[in-house]
Amino acid sequence: MTATDQNTAEVIASMSEDIRGGSPLMRPIEIVASLLLVTVVGLLFGGVVSRYVFAYPVIWIEEAASISFLWLAMLGSAIALDRNEHLRLTIMLKKLTPLWRDRLEATSLVAVAAFLIALLPSAIEYAMEEWYITSAALHIPNTWRVSAIPFGFLLMTLLVLQYLLRNHRLADIGFGIAIVGGIGAAMWLASPLLISMGAGSLLIFLLLLVPACLLGGVPIAFCFGLGTLTYLLFGSHVPVYVMMGRMDEGMSSIILLSVPIFVLLGCVLDATGMGKAIVDFLGSLIGHVKAGMSYVLLGSLFIVSGISGSKVSDMATVAPALFPEMKRRGNKPPEMIALLATGAAMADTVPPSIVLIVLGSVAGVSIAGLFTSGIVVAAVLLAVLIGLARWKARNEVAGSFRRAPFAMMMKLLVIAAPALVLPFLIRSSVASGIATATEVSTIAVLYAMAIGMVLYGGISWKKFCDMLLETAALTGAILMILGTALAMAWVITQAGVAQSLAQMMQSLPGGWIGFMLVTIVIFLILGCVLEGLPAIVLMAPLMFPIARSLGIHEIHYAMVVVVAMNIGLMAPPIGVGFYLACKIGDVPPDEAFRAIWPYIFALIGGLLVIAAVPAISIGFL
């Protein structure tokens, strides 16, 4: 793997020092997951060709892709568990002594195993019940698709138990069983009281159990799952079986089919050097002016984000290409990290943003509208960051670095041109309605692979296999979060919390402006704690109906939510994205802590302008 690939793989592993992987059980699973990813891409591309080239839509393709997609999600989730690539908080774990860290790690694994074992019978029952539902086009029982859920649960259970026995002392495992079993027994004994409390008991599970699991290092997806499962078991009369349907719904939206393909596109971008070609061209164009390399860094993130759709991939592509030259020119590493982190936050609304695709899916908002608005919003934030970078470089001596020769600029432009075409192809196709996000993602990844192989040095077979595995693991981690978060959001709604929240929000002073300010605060905090996708999936079904009732345009509200969440993600001392940026740039977080705050405040200022002026978000729709 290249240095960039290694950086990407490391940071996606949630900054854990404990990298698992290598289980003999997983090798066949990894091969099947890779083939499923190739199958999804092939099916979707075949659908595009049949529809647009031959004007003959093949109606069963979408169903076949949906079946493959759910299996990919569950197998990918198991791969992510094996490779320790499920997102989780490790801040508390890192502060503990080795003895207590091992105990807490064992306890978190026992909690994950308890969740999977408790849900496995309901998952099997759900798959069996789906036998009586036949797909519309393929005319096969839906059990073929949803069997992926119990199979994935069983596989993850075996992995967790294997890892516990292989890497933890029996005393630590016993400690974990005692803690998890003790909490379960206490909840069982208190069940009559919890049920009598009605919706109030849900707050105990959401505000006590879920945060405790987060701080204990339980992966975020399983924190949501444990909160939902324990409420259904001990705080309500709703059967656990219902949770399976909600998880299936969260992981099976057709819109989400584009997520693994855009993740794969980001891997192709890293592996072929297409991103570096864009960075080199921008460097030759504006690298010689005051704050020129800062402009190049921010501009590269803006453009590259329109190809990869992933913040991690964006930062891992741009930083290795630019940081050595920036250091040579006297830029301080903490300032570089501050620009990298906040630039990635700025660029997350640039299409094809995975966050926008997921938000459109869970909130029922137009993907094309989100893509169109996202470019304008990102441009406003880009201007804010450029202004601050220029002010900080006010004492630089102009002309310290020579302008690149015109011939060099033209040569780099020719090299970068095929890569530069890609973001415009993606944005224009979706925004104009020519193709859906899923269709464009398929075309884009095949275009990038073809161009990368012909013009940018190609992709070795080993690197290609690594890319498929990385995509499967990240897809599984994302989809498991979506499934459990949607189940939790459903429970919150059914318990009446959503209605109470809506009434409280609607009675806030200041009307829609007051609601916007509260939204910004909520998502700044959630962005710090939960990372992007969990916060979106958990809160969007609750907050968007309130926004609509107050007359706020859904696209405008979506932009405020996403930007606030991204700023929180990059805000120390909790924001996970800040530490990912430090890891990629190889700068200690303590050194970058102070440097990032001026940029965070600049982004918050830009966010307040976006929230106060709806025309920025909806004026170009």
mmCIF file of all heavy atoms in Angstrom, residues 413-431:
data_model
loop_
_atom_site.group_PDB
_atom_site.id
_atom_site.type_symbol
_atom_site.label_atom_id
_atom_site.label_comp_id
_atom_site.label_asym_id
_atom_site.label_seq_id
_atom_site.Cartn_x
_atom_site.Cartn_y
_atom_site.Cartn_z
ATOM 1 N N LEU A 413 -1.560 20.990 -16.306
ATOM 2 C CA LEU A 413 -2.985 21.068 -16.643
ATOM 3 C C LEU A 413 -3.404 19.881 -17.498
ATOM 4 O O LEU A 413 -4.469 19.283 -17.291
ATOM 5 C CB LEU A 413 -3.294 22.375 -17.366
ATOM 6 C CG LEU A 413 -4.722 22.529 -17.894
ATOM 7 C CD1 LEU A 413 -5.732 22.441 -16.757
ATOM 8 C CD2 LEU A 413 -4.877 23.837 -18.651
ATOM 9 N N VAL A 414 -2.567 19.540 -18.468
ATOM 10 C CA VAL A 414 -2.877 18.400 -19.337
ATOM 11 C C VAL A 414 -2.953 17.113 -18.513
ATOM 12 O O VAL A 414 -3.834 16.270 -18.713
ATOM 13 C CB VAL A 414 -1.819 18.276 -20.455
ATOM 14 C CG1 VAL A 414 -1.992 16.961 -21.213
ATOM 15 C CG2 VAL A 414 -1.911 19.452 -21.405
ATOM 16 N N ILE A 415 -2.020 16.976 -17.554
ATOM 17 C CA ILE A 415 -2.008 15.772 -16.714
ATOM 18 C C ILE A 415 -3.246 15.728 -15.824
ATOM 19 O O ILE A 415 -3.863 14.678 -15.625
ATOM 20 C CB ILE A 415 -0.731 15.729 -15.860
ATOM 21 C CG1 ILE A 415 0.503 15.584 -16.764
ATOM 22 C CG2 ILE A 415 -0.786 14.586 -14.852
ATOM 23 C CD1 ILE A 415 1.821 15.702 -16.025
ATOM 24 N N ALA A 416 -3.625 16.891 -15.292
ATOM 25 C CA ALA A 416 -4.729 16.941 -14.340
ATOM 26 C C ALA A 416 -6.094 16.986 -15.003
ATOM 27 O O ALA A 416 -7.105 16.706 -14.350
ATOM 28 C CB ALA A 416 -4.568 18.154 -13.417
ATOM 29 N N ALA A 417 -6.159 17.341 -16.285
ATOM 30 C CA ALA A 417 -7.448 17.569 -16.956
ATOM 31 C C ALA A 417 -8.413 16.385 -16.834
ATOM 32 O O ALA A 417 -9.592 16.575 -16.502
ATOM 33 C CB ALA A 417 -7.226 17.930 -18.418
ATOM 34 N N PRO A 418 -7.974 15.138 -17.106
ATOM 35 C CA PRO A 418 -8.930 14.025 -16.975
ATOM 36 C C PRO A 418 -9.498 13.890 -15.557
ATOM 37 O O PRO A 418 -10.653 13.508 -15.381
ATOM 38 C CB PRO A 418 -8.084 12.799 -17.344
ATOM 39 C CG PRO A 418 -6.969 13.333 -18.175
ATOM 40 C CD PRO A 418 -6.667 14.671 -17.600
ATOM 41 N N ALA A 419 -8.658 14.215 -14.540
ATOM 42 C CA ALA A 419 -9.147 14.152 -13.163
ATOM 43 C C ALA A 419 -10.079 15.319 -12.859
ATOM 44 O O ALA A 419 -11.070 15.169 -12.138
ATOM 45 C CB ALA A 419 -7.963 14.157 -12.197
ATOM 46 N N LEU A 420 -9.772 16.496 -13.414
ATOM 47 C CA LEU A 420 -10.595 17.680 -13.166
ATOM 48 C C LEU A 420 -11.987 17.541 -13.768
ATOM 49 O O LEU A 420 -12.940 18.161 -13.295
ATOM 50 C CB LEU A 420 -9.915 18.933 -13.729
ATOM 51 C CG LEU A 420 -8.718 19.457 -12.938
ATOM 52 C CD1 LEU A 420 -7.973 20.512 -13.744
ATOM 53 C CD2 LEU A 420 -9.175 20.030 -11.599
ATOM 54 N N VAL A 421 -12.116 16.738 -14.814
ATOM 55 C CA VAL A 421 -13.415 16.549 -15.468
ATOM 56 C C VAL A 421 -14.387 15.828 -14.532
ATOM 57 O O VAL A 421 -15.599 16.099 -14.543
ATOM 58 C CB VAL A 421 -13.243 15.739 -16.774
ATOM 59 C CG1 VAL A 421 -14.588 15.265 -17.309
ATOM 60 C CG2 VAL A 421 -12.531 16.592 -17.822
ATOM 61 N N LEU A 422 -13.859 14.943 -13.685
ATOM 62 C CA LEU A 422 -14.703 14.040 -12.905
ATOM 63 C C LEU A 422 -15.665 14.756 -11.954
ATOM 64 O O LEU A 422 -16.865 14.452 -11.959
ATOM 65 C CB LEU A 422 -13.815 13.048 -12.150
ATOM 66 C CG LEU A 422 -14.500 11.828 -11.542
ATOM 67 C CD1 LEU A 422 -15.378 11.122 -12.558
ATOM 68 C CD2 LEU A 422 -13.452 10.864 -10.997
ATOM 69 N N PRO A 423 -15.203 15.704 -11.112
ATOM 70 C CA PRO A 423 -16.170 16.348 -10.210
ATOM 71 C C PRO A 423 -17.271 17.096 -10.942
ATOM 72 O O PRO A 423 -18.425 17.115 -10.504
ATOM 73 C CB PRO A 423 -15.301 17.314 -9.379
ATOM 74 C CG PRO A 423 -14.021 17.436 -10.108
ATOM 75 C CD PRO A 423 -13.832 16.165 -10.852
ATOM 76 N N PHE A 424 -16.934 17.708 -12.082
ATOM 77 C CA PHE A 424 -17.956 18.422 -12.854
ATOM 78 C C PHE A 424 -18.940 17.445 -13.489
ATOM 79 O O PHE A 424 -20.141 17.723 -13.591
ATOM 80 C CB PHE A 424 -17.294 19.287 -13.918
ATOM 81 C CG PHE A 424 -16.433 20.376 -13.353
ATOM 82 C CD1 PHE A 424 -15.055 20.269 -13.343
ATOM 83 C CD2 PHE A 424 -17.008 21.508 -12.787
ATOM 84 C CE1 PHE A 424 -14.262 21.267 -12.806
ATOM 85 C CE2 PHE A 424 -16.233 22.516 -12.247
ATOM 86 C CZ PHE A 424 -14.848 22.394 -12.258
ATOM 87 N N LEU A 425 -18.447 16.282 -13.899
ATOM 88 C CA LEU A 425 -19.319 15.246 -14.447
ATOM 89 C C LEU A 425 -20.323 14.787 -13.392
ATOM 90 O O LEU A 425 -21.522 14.672 -13.663
ATOM 91 C CB LEU A 425 -18.477 14.052 -14.919
ATOM 92 C CG LEU A 425 -19.226 12.773 -15.294
ATOM 93 C CD1 LEU A 425 -20.043 12.995 -16.560
ATOM 94 C CD2 LEU A 425 -18.258 11.611 -15.493
ATOM 95 N N ILE A 426 -19.833 14.553 -12.185
ATOM 96 C CA ILE A 426 -20.704 14.072 -11.106
ATOM 97 C C ILE A 426 -21.756 15.109 -10.762
ATOM 98 O O ILE A 426 -22.957 14.822 -10.700
ATOM 99 C CB ILE A 426 -19.850 13.719 -9.869
ATOM 100 C CG1 ILE A 426 -18.953 12.506 -10.154
ATOM 101 C CG2 ILE A 426 -20.739 13.432 -8.660
ATOM 102 C CD1 ILE A 426 -17.904 12.249 -9.097
ATOM 103 N N ARG A 427 -21.313 16.354 -10.530
ATOM 104 C CA ARG A 427 -22.245 17.387 -10.066
ATOM 105 C C ARG A 427 -23.276 17.733 -11.126
ATOM 106 O O ARG A 427 -24.472 17.821 -10.848
ATOM 107 C CB ARG A 427 -21.460 18.639 -9.676
ATOM 108 C CG ARG A 427 -20.539 18.428 -8.500
ATOM 109 C CD ARG A 427 -19.568 19.574 -8.350
ATOM 110 N NE ARG A 427 -18.466 19.201 -7.461
ATOM 111 C CZ ARG A 427 -17.349 19.886 -7.359
ATOM 112 N NH1 ARG A 427 -17.165 20.977 -8.084
ATOM 113 N NH2 ARG A 427 -16.405 19.496 -6.533
ATOM 114 N N SER A 428 -22.821 17.932 -12.353
ATOM 115 C CA SER A 428 -23.748 18.369 -13.398
ATOM 116 C C SER A 428 -24.759 17.281 -13.734
ATOM 117 O O SER A 428 -25.934 17.568 -13.981
ATOM 118 C CB SER A 428 -22.968 18.776 -14.649
ATOM 119 O OG SER A 428 -22.209 17.687 -15.138
ATOM 120 N N SER A 429 -24.325 16.026 -13.713
ATOM 121 C CA SER A 429 -25.238 14.931 -14.066
ATOM 122 C C SER A 429 -26.365 14.800 -13.052
ATOM 123 O O SER A 429 -27.531 14.624 -13.424
ATOM 124 C CB SER A 429 -24.467 13.609 -14.162
ATOM 125 O OG SER A 429 -23.502 13.665 -15.188
ATOM 126 N N VAL A 430 -26.027 14.896 -11.756
ATOM 127 C CA VAL A 430 -27.053 14.755 -10.723
ATOM 128 C C VAL A 430 -27.914 16.008 -10.639
ATOM 129 O O VAL A 430 -29.146 15.939 -10.583
ATOM 130 C CB VAL A 430 -26.409 14.451 -9.355
ATOM 131 C CG1 VAL A 430 -27.467 14.396 -8.266
ATOM 132 C CG2 VAL A 430 -25.663 13.125 -9.409
ATOM 133 N N ALA A 431 -27.266 17.184 -10.641
ATOM 134 C CA ALA A 431 -28.010 18.430 -10.486
ATOM 135 C C ALA A 431 -28.976 18.677 -11.631
ATOM 136 O O ALA A 431 -30.061 19.228 -11.441
ATOM 137 C CB ALA A 431 -27.041 19.605 -10.357
#
